[in-house]
Amino acid sequence: MAIVGRSGATSASFRRSRWLLTGVLALYFIYTFIPLFYVIAASTKTNPDLFSTFGLWFSSDFHLFENLRDLFAQDRGAFSRWLGNSFFYALCAGVGAALVSTLAGYAFSKYDFAGKRFTYALVLGAVMIPQTALVIPLFLLLSNIKLLDTPWAVILPQLVFPQGVFLMRAYIDDAVSNELIDAGRVDGAGELRIFSSIAFRLMTPAVSTVFVLAFVAAWNNYFLPLVVLNSSEHFPITVGLANWYASAAGGSGGSLLYTVVMAGSLVSIVPVIVAFLLIQRFWQGGLATGAVKT
Amino acid sequence: MTKKLLDTVFDAPVGRRTFLKGAAATAALPALGALGGTAMAQEAVELTYWAWTPGDPEMVAAFMKAYPNIKINYQNVGQGGPHYQKLRDALTAGSGIPDVAQMEFNSIPSFKALNALADMGTAGANDIKDKFVDWTWKSVSDGDKVYGIPWDSGPMGLLYREDVFSKSGLSAAPETWDEYAEAAMKIAKDSPGSYITDFVGSADAGWVAGVLWQKGWRPFHLDGTNISIKLNDQIAKDWAAYWQKLIDAKAVDTAPAWTADWFAGFDSGKYASWVCAAWSPVLMISAMKTSVGKWRAAKMPQWKKGDYVISNWGGSTFATMAATQHLKEATQFAMWMGGNLETAKYWNQKQYLFPVVKDVLNDPAVLDYKFDFYGGQQVNKIFAEAEAHVDPSFEFAPFQDYVNTHIQDEFAASIGGNGTLADAFDRVQDAIVAYAKDQGYTVT
Amino acid sequence: MQLAEMAATTATTGARPRHSSGTWGRRLAPYLFLLPFLILFVAFLIVPLLYALDLSLWKKALVGGTRFVGIENYQKAFVDAKFWAGVLTLVKFALMQIPVMLGLALLFALILDSGVVYLKGFFRVSFFIPYAVPTVIAALLWGYLYSPVSGPAAQIATALGWPKPDFLNPSTILPSIANIATWEYMGYNMIIYFAALQAIPQDLEEASTVDGAGAFAHAIYVKLPLIVPTILVTIIFSIIGSLQLFSEPYLLINIARTVINSSFTPNIYAYTQSFIGQQYNYAAAISFLLGAVTAVISYVFMLATSRRSAR
C-alpha cells in the first residue's frame, strides 16, 4: 500500500518527510503514554510514597511485586475472578456482536428488501437515545425474565452493536463486489453458502475490527454491569476496581487501597493490548487479499 | 480451630494494622467460637446480607459457626451511595432484596419512608437495647419499634496539628468557635500557605449536617405526611456568616475533600486541623506518613464557652428489610453483629470502628489506650466522653440524598462566586420545599 | 435518511444490489441475515425504550404513589434551565473536541496508510491503547494529572517557579474534559479511518513516482474523498457521543466540585434525578428530550453535508 514510487525511495526530501512524520507520531505517542506511565510508576510505589513522590517517576522503594501480591490477595482473590469475568464477557460480546453485525451489515449492503430504509433509519435513530434512559428499564426487564445478577445480563445487551452494523455495511459495499455474488448464484450456490465461503473471506479485516471494537467496549463497560450485577463474584474489573477506589477515598470503615487500585488498573490494561496485538495478524493478512480486486 | 482460622485471616497483608495491640484483642478470638450456646437445633435458613465495611466476611463466618442452621450470603454491592442505589433498585423491581443490609443512621428515614425496613422489635430486638449508648438506640427506634441495630458511631471532635498551632503561639486546642476563628487568622498570618482547615461544604454535606447539628440546626421534622422544612433559619445563616468570613479572609481553604491531595494537605501541615468524627483518628493514622506524632485530639469547639454539645457524623446500623422471609433469623443475625460483646470488640479493635456498645466503650483497654501517633494521648477517652453528650434530636429527611446533593451544589456555586453561603441556604430551602411538595408532602 | 444513502453508495462503482424475481431462498435471505440482530435490537433496545417512554408519562411520588401525567414531565423538562444549560455546555464541548480529535485521527490514519513512517504497527497499537483503558481508570489517571497540588504539571511548574496550571476552573474545565475524551477516542476513530483507507482497492491508486510532498497531495486529493462517507459516519457518532457525555465529567466531580455539579451535562442531570432524587419519570423525560435534541442536531448536520458532497 505504500505510495513510495520507484525513484522516490532514496530522495533526500523523502527521507526528511519520513523522519518528520515519524517525529509527529512520536510526539503524540509521548502524550498518549503519559497517563499510562503514571499507572506503571504508581503500581511500583508504597501507599505513602504514592502521595509524596513525583508522579511520573519511580520512588526509591520498588514495591511492584508486593502490590501485585496484595492485588490478587485482596478480598480473597476477588481480582482474579473479576479479571476472568471481564474476559468472558468481552469475548462473548465481541464474537457475538461481530457475527450479528456482519450478518446484518451484509443484509443491508447486498439486498434490497421491504422495510430496508425504515429499519436502517430505526437503528441509526435508536443510537441517539442516551444510555442512561435505557438502564433502568433494562434493569426491570432483566429482573422480570430472572436474568438479573447473571453473566447474561451483561452479555446479551452488548450483542447489540449498531456501529458494527454501519461499519460492516460500509465495508461490504466496498469490498464485496456484486459480480462476485452473482457469479456464485449462477454457479448454483445458496445465499448462505455465498455468504460464508465467498463473501466472508473478503470481510475479515472489517470483521476483526468490529470484534476488537465490541470486545473493548464490553471490557470497558462500567455502567451496565454496575446496575445489573449484585454479587461480587460476577463483577467485571471495572466495577470491582471502582468499588475499591471508592473504599480507598472514603471515610469511616474504609482502608486505603490506592496502590492496589493502581496495580489493578495496570493489570486491566494489559490483556486488551495483547488481544489487539493478536488481531493485528488478521489485519495484515486480510488486507492483502481484500485489497486485490478482480 | 477457630483461633487458627481467624488468625490466618487476620494475618492477610492488607488487614495488618496493629495499632491497638492488646492482650484483650487476641484473647477475644477463641471466645468467638464458643458462642454457640444460644443456637438451638432449627430448620436451615439462608439469608442475604449487603454491607461494605471491611471485616464483614470474618464476622459472617464466625456467626455461621455460632448459628449452624443459618447460612449468610454476604455481598459488598458498593460503598455508600451505590449500595443504597442497589437497595432502591431491588425495592423497585420487587426482587433481589437482601434480608439484612448496612444502613447508616442518616439513611434510616429514607428507607422508612419507602416502608422498606422491618420492625425488629417484634422479633425480640428490644432485649438488647440497654447494651447500647442511649442516643444511638433512640436514633434507630420509635417506641418499641426497632429499625436498626447500632453498629458504630461518629461523635464529633477535633484533630489538630500541634506543631502548626504552636508556631502561632497556641498551646491548647480552641475551646469555642470564636477561639477557632481567631486561631484561623493567626495561622494564616504566621504560616503562609497553611490554613486552619479546609472548608468542605461543597464536597461533604454529611459534615455540614454534623457541624450544624451541633449548633442546634433542626431542618426537618416529619409527622406522617406533614414535614417541616427549615433549612435557612437564623442558625444556618449565622453559621454561614461565620464560615463566609473565614473564606473571604482566606483563612480556610475551599479545595475538594476526600482526594489524595486533601490527605496530603493534612500530612504536610497545609491543613492544621480537621473538625471530624470518632472514626477519624484511625483513618488519619493510616493516611499520614510524615506527620506521625504531630497530631492531637480535642473536644469539638463549642458555640458557648463551657458548653458540652456534641453532634454525630456517620455511623451505621444493621437493618432488616421488610421483604425478608425470615424475620426471626435476620433479627438474630443483626442482634449478634451489633450487640454481641465479642463481635463489638472485634469491630472496634480490628476494624477501628467507634463502639456503641457500652461495655466496649467503657473497657479500660479501649479508654486508656495511648496512641503514639497522637503523642501518647488517650484519644478514645475524648471521643467516648463526647459520645455521652450527643443530642439525639436531629432528624434526617426522608429524601436526605437529594438534600445533600443540593447542599453540595449550592455551596459549590457560592464558593465559585455566586452569592454567599447564606444565599446558598436560601436556594436550597426553595429547591427542597418545591421537591417535598412535588412528592406529595404537606410542607409546614 | 440521507446518511443511509451516503453510507450505502460507494465511491467506486456505485454498486447497487440487483433485484430479480428469484428463488425463495433469495427473497428470504435478507430477513434471515437480519434476524439475529433484529431480535436482540428489539429485545434490548426497543423494548426498554418503550418502557422508558411509558415511565416518562407517569409520576411516582413518595407520598401518594404513581399517577398518569401525560406530557407534564416533558413540559417541565422543556423549560428546565438546568437542562438547557447542560445542552449548551455540550455544544461548546463538541465544537471544541470533535474537530481536534477527528482531525488528528485523519492525519495519523493518512500517515500510517501512506506507509512512509517507521514503526507503523507500533504506532497503530499504541494510539489505540487509550480506547482499551476503561473510562473509570482513565478518569482516575487524568484526575491525578490535573491535580493542582500533587499532579506532575503542578510539581514541574513549582520546581521551575512558574505559576501552577489550573485545569479545573470554569474556563479550563471543558478543554480539560475534551482532552480526556480526545485521548480516549482518537485511536478508535483513527483505526476506523485506517481500515477504510486500506479498503480502497489498489487499482485505484496511481503508482506514480511521488516523493514526500507529492504523496501528501495524493492523500488529500485522491484518498480523502474516497473515505468521506466513513468520515461522516464518525462525525455523526462523535456528535451523538458528545451530547451524551456522562462518564468523564461525572468521574471528575470529586476533584472539581465548584465547576462540575449535578446538572453539568443533561445525562448527569438525568442520572442524579433518577438515582439520587428518585425521579425516574422526570429523568426518562429528560433523556428523551436529549434524544430529540441530538436527533435534530444530527439531522441538521446531515442536511448541511449532503448538500455539499456530490453523491
Side-chain angles (χ1 to χ4, degrees), chain A residues 89-106 155 158-169 172 195 200 203-218 279, chain C residues 33 36-37 40:
Chain A
Y89 300 153
L91 206 64
C92 290
V95 169
L99 217 60
V100 167
S101 302
T102 302
L103 289 169
Y106 185 73
I155 295 172
Q158 296 193 87
L159 296 177
V160 182
F161 193 51
Q163 286 101 309
V165 176
F166 296 130
L167 283 170
M168 287 312 302
R169 187 209 178 140
I172 293 172
F195 171 80
F200 193 79
M203 302 178 210
T204 42
V207 175
S208 52
T209 306
V210 173
F211 167 77
V212 170
L213 295 176
F215 179 91
V216 172
I279 285 297
Chain C
F33 280 124
F37 179 74
L40 292 164

Coordinates of all heavy atoms in Angstrom, one line a residue, chain A residues 89-106 155 158-169 172 195 200 203-218 279, chain C residues 33 36-37 40:
Chain A
Y89 N -17.0 -11.9 29.5 CA -18.0 -11.0 29.0 C -17.5 -10.4 27.6 O -18.3 -10.3 26.7 CB -18.3 -9.9 29.9 CG -18.8 -10.3 31.3 CD1 -18.6 -9.5 32.4 CD2 -19.5 -11.5 31.5 CE1 -19.1 -9.9 33.7 CE2 -20.0 -11.9 32.7 CZ -19.8 -11.1 33.8 OH -20.2 -11.5 35.0
A90 N -16.3 -9.9 27.6 CA -15.8 -9.2 26.5 C -15.7 -10.1 25.3 O -16.0 -9.8 24.1 CB -14.5 -8.5 26.8
L91 N -15.2 -11.4 25.5 CA -15.0 -12.3 24.4 C -16.4 -12.7 23.8 O -16.6 -12.6 22.6 CB -14.4 -13.6 25.0 CG -13.6 -14.4 24.0 CD1 -12.4 -13.6 23.5 CD2 -13.1 -15.7 24.6
C92 N -17.4 -13.0 24.7 CA -18.7 -13.4 24.2 C -19.3 -12.2 23.5 O -19.9 -12.4 22.4 CB -19.6 -13.7 25.4 SG -19.2 -15.3 26.1
A93 N -19.2 -11.0 24.1 CA -19.8 -9.8 23.4 C -19.1 -9.5 22.1 O -19.8 -9.2 21.1 CB -19.7 -8.6 24.4
G94 N -17.8 -9.6 22.1 CA -17.1 -9.3 20.9 C -17.4 -10.3 19.8 O -17.7 -9.8 18.6
V95 N -17.3 -11.6 20.0 CA -17.6 -12.5 19.0 C -19.0 -12.4 18.5 O -19.4 -12.4 17.4 CB -17.3 -14.0 19.5 CG1 -17.8 -15.0 18.5 CG2 -15.8 -14.2 19.7
G96 N -19.9 -12.4 19.5 CA -21.4 -12.3 19.2 C -21.7 -11.1 18.4 O -22.4 -11.1 17.4
A97 N -21.2 -9.9 18.9 CA -21.5 -8.7 18.2 C -21.0 -8.6 16.8 O -21.6 -8.2 15.9 CB -21.0 -7.5 19.0
A98 N -19.7 -9.1 16.6 CA -19.1 -9.1 15.3 C -20.0 -10.0 14.4 O -20.3 -9.6 13.2 CB -17.7 -9.7 15.4
L99 N -20.3 -11.2 14.8 CA -21.1 -12.1 14.0 C -22.5 -11.5 13.6 O -22.8 -11.4 12.4 CB -21.4 -13.4 14.8 CG -21.3 -14.7 14.0 CD1 -20.0 -14.8 13.4 CD2 -21.6 -15.8 14.9
V100 N -23.2 -11.0 14.6 CA -24.5 -10.5 14.4 C -24.4 -9.2 13.5 O -25.3 -9.1 12.6 CB -25.2 -10.2 15.7 CG1 -26.4 -9.3 15.6 CG2 -25.5 -11.4 16.5
S101 N -23.5 -8.4 13.8 CA -23.3 -7.2 13.0 C -23.0 -7.5 11.5 O -23.4 -6.8 10.6 CB -22.3 -6.2 13.6 OG -22.6 -5.9 14.9
T102 N -22.1 -8.5 11.3 CA -21.7 -8.8 10.0 C -22.9 -9.3 9.2 O -23.1 -8.9 8.0 CB -20.6 -9.9 10.0 OG1 -19.5 -9.4 10.8 CG2 -20.1 -10.3 8.6
L103 N -23.7 -10.2 9.8 CA -24.9 -10.7 9.1 C -25.8 -9.6 8.7 O -26.3 -9.5 7.6 CB -25.6 -11.7 10.0 CG -24.9 -13.1 10.2 CD1 -25.6 -13.8 11.4 CD2 -24.9 -13.9 9.0
A104 N -26.0 -8.7 9.7 CA -26.9 -7.6 9.4 C -26.4 -6.6 8.4 O -27.1 -6.2 7.5 CB -27.2 -6.8 10.7
G105 N -25.1 -6.3 8.5 CA -24.4 -5.4 7.5 C -24.5 -6.0 6.1 O -24.7 -5.2 5.2
Y106 N -24.3 -7.3 6.0 CA -24.4 -7.9 4.7 C -25.8 -7.8 4.2 O -25.9 -7.5 3.0 CB -24.0 -9.4 4.9 CG -23.9 -10.2 3.6 CD1 -22.9 -10.0 2.7 CD2 -24.9 -11.1 3.3 CE1 -22.8 -10.8 1.6 CE2 -24.9 -11.9 2.1 CZ -23.8 -11.7 1.3 OH -23.7 -12.4 0.1
I155 N -23.9 -9.7 29.1 CA -23.5 -10.1 27.7 C -24.6 -9.7 26.7 O -24.4 -9.1 25.7 CB -23.2 -11.6 27.6 CG1 -22.0 -11.9 28.4 CG2 -23.0 -12.0 26.1 CD1 -21.7 -13.4 28.6
Q158 N -25.1 -6.3 25.2 CA -23.9 -5.8 24.5 C -23.7 -6.5 23.1 O -22.8 -6.1 22.4 CB -22.7 -6.0 25.4 CG -22.7 -5.1 26.6 CD -21.4 -5.1 27.3 OE1 -20.6 -4.2 27.0 NE2 -21.2 -5.9 28.2
L159 N -24.6 -7.4 22.8 CA -24.5 -8.0 21.5 C -25.1 -7.1 20.4 O -24.9 -7.2 19.2 CB -25.3 -9.3 21.4 CG -24.7 -10.5 22.3 CD1 -25.6 -11.7 22.2 CD2 -23.3 -10.8 21.9
V160 N -25.9 -6.1 20.9 CA -26.4 -5.1 20.1 C -25.4 -4.0 19.8 O -25.1 -3.2 20.7 CB -27.7 -4.4 20.7 CG1 -28.3 -3.4 19.7 CG2 -28.7 -5.5 21.1
F161 N -24.8 -3.9 18.6 CA -23.7 -3.0 18.4 C -23.9 -2.3 17.0 O -23.4 -2.7 16.0 CB -22.4 -3.9 18.3 CG -21.2 -3.0 18.4 CD1 -21.0 -2.1 19.4 CD2 -20.1 -3.3 17.5 CE1 -19.8 -1.3 19.4 CE2 -19.0 -2.5 17.5 CZ -18.8 -1.5 18.5
P162 N -24.8 -1.3 17.1 CA -25.2 -0.7 15.8 C -24.0 -0.1 15.0 O -24.0 -0.2 13.8 CB -26.1 0.5 16.2 CG -26.6 0.1 17.6 CD -25.5 -0.7 18.2
Q163 N -23.0 0.4 15.7 CA -21.8 0.9 15.0 C -21.2 -0.2 14.1 O -20.7 0.1 13.0 CB -20.7 1.4 15.9 CG -21.0 2.7 16.6 CD -21.5 2.5 18.0 OE1 -22.4 1.8 18.3 NE2 -20.9 3.3 18.9
G164 N -21.2 -1.4 14.7 CA -20.7 -2.5 13.9 C -21.5 -2.8 12.6 O -20.9 -3.0 11.6
V165 N -22.8 -2.6 12.7 CA -23.6 -2.8 11.5 C -23.3 -1.8 10.5 O -23.1 -2.1 9.3 CB -25.1 -2.7 11.9 CG1 -26.0 -2.8 10.7 CG2 -25.5 -3.8 12.9
F166 N -23.2 -0.5 10.9 CA -22.8 0.5 10.0 C -21.5 0.3 9.3 O -21.3 0.5 8.1 CB -22.9 1.9 10.6 CG -24.2 2.3 11.1 CD1 -24.4 2.7 12.4 CD2 -25.3 2.2 10.3 CE1 -25.7 3.0 12.9 CE2 -26.6 2.5 10.8 CZ -26.8 2.9 12.1
L167 N -20.5 0.0 10.2 CA -19.2 -0.2 9.6 C -19.1 -1.4 8.7 O -18.5 -1.3 7.6 CB -18.2 -0.5 10.8 CG -17.8 0.7 11.6 CD1 -17.0 0.3 12.8 CD2 -16.9 1.6 10.7
M168 N -19.8 -2.5 9.0 CA -19.8 -3.7 8.1 C -20.5 -3.3 6.8 O -20.0 -3.7 5.7 CB -20.5 -4.8 8.8 CG -19.8 -5.5 9.9 SD -18.0 -5.9 9.5 CE -18.2 -6.9 8.1
R169 N -21.6 -2.6 6.9 CA -22.3 -2.2 5.6 C -21.4 -1.4 4.7 O -21.3 -1.7 3.5 CB -23.6 -1.5 6.0 CG -24.3 -1.3 4.7 CD -25.2 -0.1 4.7 NE -25.9 0.0 3.5 CZ -27.2 0.4 3.3 NH1 -27.9 0.7 4.4 NH2 -27.7 0.5 2.1
I172 N -18.6 -3.7 3.4 CA -19.0 -4.7 2.4 C -19.4 -4.1 1.1 O -19.1 -4.6 0.0 CB -20.2 -5.5 3.0 CG1 -19.8 -6.3 4.2 CG2 -20.8 -6.4 1.9 CD1 -20.9 -7.0 4.9
F195 N -22.5 -16.4 1.2 CA -22.0 -15.5 2.3 C -20.8 -16.1 3.0 O -19.8 -15.5 3.2 CB -23.1 -15.3 3.3 CG -22.7 -14.6 4.6 CD1 -22.5 -13.3 4.6 CD2 -22.4 -15.4 5.7 CE1 -22.1 -12.6 5.8 CE2 -22.0 -14.7 6.9 CZ -21.9 -13.4 6.9
F200 N -17.4 -13.9 3.0 CA -16.9 -13.7 4.3 C -15.4 -13.4 4.3 O -14.8 -12.6 5.0 CB -17.2 -14.9 5.2 CG -17.0 -14.6 6.7 CD1 -17.9 -13.9 7.4 CD2 -15.8 -15.1 7.3 CE1 -17.6 -13.6 8.8 CE2 -15.6 -14.8 8.6 CZ -16.5 -14.1 9.4
M203 N -14.3 -10.1 4.0 CA -14.7 -9.1 5.0 C -13.8 -9.2 6.3 O -14.0 -8.4 7.2 CB -16.1 -9.4 5.5 CG -17.2 -9.4 4.4 SD -18.7 -9.9 5.3 CE -19.5 -10.7 4.0
T204 N -12.9 -10.1 6.3 CA -12.2 -10.4 7.6 C -11.5 -9.2 8.2 O -11.6 -9.0 9.4 CB -11.2 -11.5 7.5 OG1 -10.4 -11.4 6.3 CG2 -11.8 -12.9 7.6
P205 N -10.9 -8.2 7.5 CA -10.4 -7.1 8.2 C -11.4 -6.3 9.0 O -11.2 -5.9 10.1 CB -9.8 -6.2 7.1 CG -9.6 -7.1 5.9 CD -10.7 -8.1 6.0
A206 N -12.6 -6.1 8.3 CA -13.6 -5.4 9.0 C -14.2 -6.2 10.1 O -14.6 -5.6 11.2 CB -14.7 -4.9 8.0
V207 N -14.4 -7.5 9.9 CA -15.0 -8.3 11.0 C -14.1 -8.3 12.2 O -14.5 -8.1 13.3 CB -15.2 -9.7 10.5 CG1 -15.7 -10.6 11.7 CG2 -16.2 -9.8 9.4
S208 N -12.8 -8.4 12.0 CA -11.9 -8.3 13.1 C -11.9 -7.0 13.7 O -11.7 -6.8 15.0 CB -10.5 -8.8 12.7 OG -10.0 -8.0 11.6
T209 N -12.0 -5.9 12.9 CA -12.2 -4.6 13.5 C -13.4 -4.5 14.4 O -13.3 -4.0 15.6 CB -12.3 -3.5 12.4 OG1 -11.2 -3.6 11.5 CG2 -12.3 -2.1 13.0
V210 N -14.5 -5.0 13.9 CA -15.7 -4.9 14.7 C -15.6 -5.7 16.0 O -16.0 -5.3 17.1 CB -16.9 -5.4 13.9 CG1 -18.2 -5.5 14.8 CG2 -17.2 -4.4 12.8
F211 N -14.9 -6.9 15.9 CA -14.7 -7.7 17.0 C -13.9 -6.9 18.1 O -14.2 -6.9 19.3 CB -13.9 -9.0 16.7 CG -13.4 -9.7 17.9 CD1 -14.2 -10.5 18.7 CD2 -12.1 -9.6 18.2 CE1 -13.8 -11.1 19.8 CE2 -11.6 -10.3 19.4 CZ -12.4 -11.0 20.2
V212 N -12.8 -6.3 17.6 CA -11.9 -5.6 18.6 C -12.7 -4.5 19.2 O -12.7 -4.3 20.5 CB -10.7 -5.0 17.9 CG1 -10.0 -4.1 18.8 CG2 -9.8 -6.2 17.5
L213 N -13.5 -3.7 18.4 CA -14.2 -2.6 19.0 C -15.3 -3.1 20.0 O -15.4 -2.5 21.0 CB -14.9 -1.8 17.8 CG -13.9 -1.1 16.9 CD1 -14.6 -0.4 15.7 CD2 -13.0 -0.1 17.6
A214 N -16.0 -4.1 19.6 CA -17.0 -4.7 20.5 C -16.4 -5.2 21.8 O -16.9 -5.1 22.9 CB -17.9 -5.7 19.8
F215 N -15.2 -5.9 21.6 CA -14.5 -6.5 22.7 C -14.1 -5.4 23.7 O -14.4 -5.5 24.9 CB -13.3 -7.3 22.3 CG -12.5 -7.9 23.4 CD1 -12.7 -9.2 23.7 CD2 -11.5 -7.2 24.0 CE1 -12.0 -9.8 24.7 CE2 -10.7 -7.8 25.0 CZ -11.0 -9.1 25.4
V216 N -13.5 -4.4 23.2 CA -13.1 -3.3 24.1 C -14.2 -2.6 24.7 O -14.2 -2.3 25.9 CB -12.2 -2.3 23.2 CG1 -11.9 -1.1 24.1 CG2 -10.9 -3.0 22.8
A217 N -15.3 -2.4 23.9 CA -16.5 -1.7 24.5 C -17.0 -2.5 25.7 O -17.4 -2.0 26.7 CB -17.5 -1.5 23.5
A218 N -17.0 -3.8 25.5 CA -17.5 -4.7 26.6 C -16.6 -4.7 27.8 O -17.0 -4.7 28.9 CB -17.8 -6.1 26.1
I279 N -4.9 -9.7 17.1 CA -5.8 -9.4 16.0 C -5.1 -8.8 14.8 O -5.5 -8.9 13.7 CB -7.0 -8.4 16.5 CG1 -8.0 -9.2 17.3 CG2 -7.7 -7.8 15.3 CD1 -8.7 -10.3 16.5
Chain C
F33 N -30.7 -13.0 7.5 CA -29.4 -12.5 7.9 C -29.6 -11.4 8.9 O -28.8 -11.2 9.9 CB -28.7 -11.8 6.7 CG -28.0 -12.8 5.8 CD1 -28.3 -12.9 4.5 CD2 -27.0 -13.7 6.3 CE1 -27.6 -13.8 3.6 CE2 -26.4 -14.6 5.5 CZ -26.7 -14.7 4.2
P36 N -31.0 -12.2 13.6 CA -30.3 -12.2 14.9 C -30.2 -10.8 15.5 O -30.5 -10.5 16.7 CB -29.0 -12.8 14.7 CG -29.1 -13.5 13.4 CD -30.1 -12.8 12.6
F37 N -29.7 -9.9 14.6 CA -29.5 -8.5 15.1 C -30.9 -7.9 15.5 O -31.0 -7.3 16.5 CB -28.9 -7.7 14.0 CG -28.7 -6.2 14.4 CD1 -27.7 -5.9 15.2 CD2 -29.6 -5.3 13.9 CE1 -27.6 -4.5 15.6 CE2 -29.4 -3.9 14.2 CZ -28.4 -3.6 15.1
L40 N -32.3 -9.2 18.9 CA -31.5 -8.6 20.1 C -31.8 -7.1 20.2 O -32.0 -6.5 21.2 CB -30.0 -8.8 19.9 CG -29.6 -10.2 20.0 CD1 -28.2 -10.4 19.5 CD2 -29.6 -10.6 21.5

